[in-house]
Amino acid sequence: MNRRLKHSRYITGFDGIRTLAVIGVICYHILPATMPGGFLGVPIFFVVSGYLITDLLLQEWDEYGKIDVKAFYLRRIRRLYPALVTMVLTTAAYITVFQRNLLTNLKGIVISNFLYVYNWFQIAHHESYFDKFGGESPFTHLWSLSIEGQFYFLWPLLIILALTFIKKRVKIFDILFVLAGVSALAMAFIYHDGIDPSRLYYGTDTRTFSILLGASLAFIWPSTALKRQLDRRLSLMVDVVGLISLAIILTCFFKMDSQSATIYRGGMFLFSLVAMIFIATVAHPGADMNRLFTNKVFTWLGKRSYGIYLYQYPVMIFYESKIAVGNHPLIHALIEILLIVVISALSYRYIERPLQRYNYRRLGLDLKALLHKQSQEKWLLVVPVIVIVTAVVGMFLPAKDPGSEQSKQLQETIAKNTKQAAQKNKQIGTTKKATKDSKNTNEAATSQSPKDFQLTTGLTKQQLAKAQTLQITAVGDSVLADTSAKLTEIFPQMYVDGKVGRQVYDTIPVLKSLAASGKLANVVLLVEGTNGSFNDNQLAEIMAILGDRQVYWVNVYVPTKSWQNTVNNALTKATKKYHNLTIIDWYNYSRNHSEWFYNDQVHPNVKGQPYYANYVARKILK
C-alpha cells in the first residue's frame, strides 16, 4: 500500500500478472522452441507499469491537488536503481576478469544504462536483439528498463500538463489512445520484410504504445473508484472477459514469432490491447480475476520479478559460454532458472528492499561507524569496492577475445563467399540444360587435377560428372555462407543464397521470391535451423513452396544452444510426412570433431569446410 495516499489499494493480482510476464520472457530466452511468443511478456510489463504509475499519480492529484515530482523521482530511483547498478557493475566486473571478449563498448553500455538511454545506444551501434552468435551481450535485455526509465522521467510532468489544460479525463484517455496508435503505426511503417527488426524492438517511439495503453486505462478505470460489489451478471461478465483475454495471451505466448511481420504490423499493438483489458479485469475488486491471480507462489515471484528480469541474461550468457547445453537443454534450462531465481531472491532480500527504505542522508555516518567497528562486518565493504574498481578498470580495457583471429577469419570468409556467390548467381541459368563451359568452370574453381579432386571429395567419377551439370538452389544461414565456396567447387551450377542470422521463417519469403523469378531448381539444398527452431506450419509452408522438388536439408550442430535437438528431431519427424525431403545428418557426422569448427563450435573452419561440402555432396549424389 502507498503510505502517502489515504485510499490507495494494493492489487495483489498484479504480482500474478508480473509472474506470468516474467515466465514468458524467461522461457522465450532459455527454451525458445517451447514458448516462442514469450517475448510478449515485456509488453505486459509495460502495460502494468503504465497503469500503476498513472493510477498512483492521479490518486495523488485527487487527494492533494498536485503531484510531488521530486518525491516521485526519488521513489522510482530507490526502487529500481540499487538492483540495476548492482547487476550492471557485477556483470561488468565478471566480464573484465573472465570474459574479456565482451568488453567492447563497456563504458558506453554502463553509462547509457545508468542514464536510462541504453535502448538508443543499442540502436546507434546497430546491435541485433535476434543474432544468437558472435558474442551475445549480457546487457541486451536492459533496453526495456531504459524505456521505462524515460517514461518515469517524463510522465508526471505530462500528467500535470494534461490535468491542468485538458482536465476531462475521458478526453485525455482518447488522446493517449490515439498516441498509442501513432506509435504502433510508426512500428508498422518502419518495418520491412527481410530486415532485422531490432530497431523497432528497441525504439522508444515504436514501443511506447504498450505503456500508453496502460496509462490511458488509469484515466477511465481508476483502481480506487471501482465498485467492490458488482451485480452477479456484471461480475461474471468481467470474469469471462478476463479469462478470454488470458487465453489469448497464453495462445500468443505459444504461437507468435518475434520476427514475423504480423507482430510488427499491428500484432503487438493488439496484444497490448488485450493485455490492457486483462489488467482491467484483474484490477476490478468486484470480480474474481484478482483472487485467481493471488497466491503465495505468484506473490513471491511477482515481488522478485524485477530481479529475475535483471539477472536472466547474465546468468544465461555466462552459463552457456562455459557449458554445452545442446544435448540436454531441459536439464540445463532448469539449472539456469534455479540460478536466476536464487540470485534474484538474494538481490531482493539484501539489496532491493533494504536500500529502498534506507535513509541515504545517514550514508556518511553509517560508513564511518562501520569502519570504526572492531567486528568483521567492516570487511564486507571490501566486496563492493573490489567489484566497482574491477568494473571501472574494465571500462577502459580493450576487448580481448582469445578466438578473435578465428572470428575475424570467419567473417572474412563469409563476406568473400557471399560476394563470390552473388557474382556466380548472375551467371547461372535456371533451366535444366547444362552450361557449356561447366567443365572449365569446375577446373577454374579448383587447382587440383580431376583425379586428385576425386580423391579429396570422396566422390566417384560418375558422381563428379553428374555434379558438373546438376542444377541446385541452396538457401540457408551463415553456415551455408561459410561453406559455399567449397560446395560450388563440387557443384558449379549451384545457386547460393546464404545470409548471417537467417531464421527458418525468413527462408519462406526468400523461397517465394526465387520461385517467382524462376530460380528454384529441381534440387533444393536447405541449410537452416542454426539460429532457432521452427514450427510445423512454417515447415509446411516451405514444403508447399518447393512442391515436388527434391529437398535436402542439412541438420544442425549447435552444442551451445538449447534448440539443437529440437530442430534435428523436428527434421527427422518431417521426413515421415514429406516423401521428397532428405535429411543430411551433419550433426552425427561432425559432433566428435571439434577440430573442424571455429571457436563458436558451429561454423566449419578451413579444415572442416571440405568435410562439410564433401559430406553434403555425397548425400546429394548418392
Side-chain angles (χ1 to χ4, degrees):
M1 187 177 194
N2 194 322
R3 295 181 180 179
R4 299 172 302 107
L5 302 172
K6 298 175 183 177
H7 306 295
S8 180
R9 55 181 278 253
Y10 184 84
I11 305 171
T12 54
F14 279 11
D15 284 328
I17 295 177
R18 293 188 187 97
T19 299
L20 174 68
V22 82
I23 287 173
V25 172
I26 294 295
C27 288
Y28 169 70
H29 288 137
I30 295 182
L31 291 169
T34 303
M35 199 174 285
F39 68 96
L40 292 168
V42 173
I44 295 176
F45 277 127
F46 282 170
V47 178
V48 170
S49 293
Y51 177 77
L52 275 177
I53 294 301
T54 307
D55 189 48
L56 290 172
L57 290 173
L58 290 177
Q59 289 178 49
E60 186 176 352
W61 179 273
D62 290 338
E63 287 193 21
Y64 301 104
K66 64 178 182 178
I67 294 173
D68 189 337
V69 177
K70 180 182 176 181
F72 172 80
Y73 288 160
L74 290 175
R75 287 194 302 273
R76 288 290 83 198
I77 290 172
R78 284 172 175 273
R79 173 65 187 98
L80 302 175
Y81 226 61
L84 175 66
V85 171
T86 301
M87 175 267 175
V88 169
L89 292 180
T90 303
T91 302
Y94 180 94
I95 288 171
T96 303
V97 177
F98 299 108
Q99 218 160 321
R100 287 183 60 184
N101 61 305
L102 297 176
L103 283 174
T104 304
N105 295 324
L106 183 61
K107 182 169 70 172
I109 290 171
V110 172
I111 293 173
S112 59
N113 269 299
F114 290 170
L115 295 176
Y116 284 121
V117 292
Y118 179 54
N119 62 317
W120 292 109
F121 177 91
Q122 290 171 296
I123 291 170
H125 287 79
H126 304 288
E127 294 183 9
S128 174
Y129 185 79
F130 306 100
D131 186 3
K132 303 301 181 183
F133 296 99
E136 278 186 278
S137 170
F139 304 103
T140 299
H141 62 307
L142 299 183
W143 66 271
S144 65
L145 302 186
S146 288
I147 290 180
E148 291 210 32
Q150 293 158 34
F151 167 69
Y152 298 145
F153 178 72
L154 293 172
W155 198 236
L157 302 174
L158 294 176
I159 283 187
I160 291 171
L161 289 174
L163 292 174
T164 302
F165 294 102
I166 301 175
K167 297 180 181 180
K168 291 185 178 181
R169 299 192 179 184
V170 173
K171 191 173 182 180
I172 296 173
F173 166 82
D174 293 339
I175 293 171
L176 293 179
F177 198 88
V178 169
L179 289 174
V182 171
S183 173
L185 286 173
M187 173 179 274
F189 180 75
I190 298 173
Y191 176 81
H192 293 287
D193 281 325
I195 297 178
D196 188 326
S198 295
R199 158 64 182 89
L200 307 175
Y201 204 87
Y202 293 139
T204 305
D205 53 342
T206 51
R207 296 302 298 265
T208 305
F209 58 80
S210 299
I211 296 178
L212 290 176
L213 286 175
S216 67
L217 177 66
F219 282 92
I220 61 169
W221 200 265
S223 63
T224 53
L226 300 173
K227 294 181 179 179
R228 294 185 177 275
Q229 297 293 329
L230 281 179
D231 177 89
R232 186 56 195 161
R233 287 181 299 175
L234 289 175
S235 176
L236 182 61
M237 184 178 71
V238 173
D239 290 338
V240 169
V241 170
L243 290 173
I244 291 173
S245 57
L246 174 61
I248 293 172
I249 288 170
L250 293 176
T251 300
C252 290
F253 273 11
F254 286 99
K255 296 295 183 181
M256 295 305 292
D257 245 318
S258 60
Q259 291 194 63
S260 69
T262 302
I263 283 293
Y264 302 99
R265 288 173 175 161
M268 199 180 295
F269 176 80
L270 292 175
F271 178 87
S272 300
L273 190 60
V274 171
M276 181 186 81
I277 295 169
F278 173 61
I279 287 164
T281 65
V282 174
H284 205 298
D288 300 308
M289 292 301 294
N290 186 54
R291 287 190 289 275
L292 178 64
F293 273 79
T294 301
N295 58 64
K296 291 183 178 179
V297 175
F298 280 4
T299 298
W300 193 91
L301 287 172
K303 289 181 181 298
R304 290 154 184 82
S305 60
Y306 177 56
I308 293 172
Y309 186 86
L310 269 179
Y311 286 101
Q312 56 168 323
Y313 247 78
V315 169
M316 290 186 292
I317 299 300
F318 298 148
Y319 184 87
E320 292 176 12
S321 69
K322 304 297 182 184
I323 305 293
V325 301
N327 289 325
H328 304 286
L330 184 57
I331 293 173
H332 291 296
L334 292 174
I335 294 172
E336 290 178 67
I337 291 171
L338 180 62
L339 288 172
I340 292 167
V341 171
V342 168
I343 293 171
S344 303
L346 293 173
S347 172
Y348 184 78
R349 181 171 181 177
Y350 295 108
I351 297 172
E352 295 172 52
R353 296 304 291 168
L355 293 182
Q356 184 178 4
R357 300 172 178 146
Y358 181 70
N359 181 3
Y360 285 89
R361 294 177 181 176
R362 293 188 49 84
L363 182 61
L365 293 173
D366 289 344
L367 285 175
K368 187 176 180 181
L370 184 60
L371 288 170
H372 282 84
K373 280 188 177 182
Q374 298 299 318
S375 66
Q376 295 182 347
E377 289 181 22
K378 63 182 179 182
W379 294 107
L380 293 174
L381 289 174
V382 174
V383 176
V385 169
I386 290 175
V387 169
I388 293 170
V389 170
T390 305
V392 171
V393 169
M395 294 180 205
F396 296 93
L397 289 176
K400 184 179 179 182
D401 184 358
S404 59
E405 285 302 316
Q406 291 190 39
S407 299
K408 183 180 179 182
Q409 185 180 16
L410 172 60
Q411 292 170 10
E412 290 175 350
T413 299
I414 289 175
K416 180 182 177 182
N417 289 353
T418 302
K419 184 177 180 180
Q420 288 180 350
Q423 293 172 346
K424 196 174 183 66
N425 288 345
K426 294 179 181 179
Q427 303 170 0
I428 295 175
T430 58
T431 59
K432 294 182 180 180
K433 67 182 183 65
T435 306
K436 293 180 180 179
D437 61 349
S438 61
K439 181 178 179 181
N440 296 331
T441 304
N442 184 61
E443 288 176 355
T446 177
S447 59
Q448 296 174 304
S449 67
K451 184 177 180 181
D452 290 338
F453 193 55
Q454 178 188 338
L455 291 172
T456 303
T457 59
L459 300 172
T460 66
K461 288 183 179 180
Q462 291 78 9
Q463 287 174 325
L464 275 176
K466 181 180 178 182
Q468 298 295 297
T469 60
L470 187 62
Q471 304 272 338
I472 301 178
T473 301
V475 176
D477 50 40
S478 55
V479 174
L480 175 62
D482 173 37
T483 57
S484 63
K486 291 296 180 183
L487 285 167
T488 53
E489 282 185 9
I490 302 171
F491 299 104
Q493 301 304 308
M494 177 180 282
Y495 182 99
V496 176
D497 188 328
K499 182 182 177 182
V500 175
R502 179 175 281 162
Q503 297 273 3
V504 174
Y505 48 78
D506 293 326
T507 306
I508 295 171
V510 175
L511 292 174
K512 285 181 178 179
S513 175
L514 290 172
S517 59
K519 294 177 181 177
L520 271 185
N522 288 330
V523 177
V524 176
L525 175 66
L526 297 178
V527 183
E528 271 296 352
T530 305
N531 298 298
S533 58
F534 53 88
N535 57 44
D536 292 340
N537 291 334
Q538 291 162 349
L539 179 62
E541 189 169 357
I542 288 172
M543 296 307 294
I545 296 168
L546 297 178
D548 292 329
R549 293 176 176 86
Q550 185 59 49
V551 182
Y552 294 90
W553 195 318
V554 185
N555 69 9
V556 300
Y557 178 71
V558 278
T560 60
K561 299 301 177 183
S562 60
W563 57 78
Q564 172 189 262
N565 291 2
T566 303
V567 169
N568 291 343
N569 292 338
L571 289 175
T572 300
K573 181 182 175 183
T575 57
K576 298 175 182 177
K577 183 176 181 180
Y578 303 101
H579 68 280
N580 59 326
L581 175 63
T582 301
I583 304 305
I584 299 177
D585 193 3
W586 171 245
Y587 167 76
N588 278 309
Y589 183 68
S590 66
R591 63 185 178 130
N592 294 321
H593 295 280
S594 58
E595 72 278 8
W596 291 356
F597 297 93
Y598 287 107
N599 58 303
D600 63 6
Q601 286 298 297
V602 175
H603 297 89
N605 57 22
V606 175
K607 183 177 181 179
Q609 288 161 10
Y611 284 103
Y612 183 93
N614 299 345
Y615 182 68
V616 169
R618 288 200 300 272
K619 295 300 178 182
I620 292 176
L621 297 167
K622 185 178 179 180

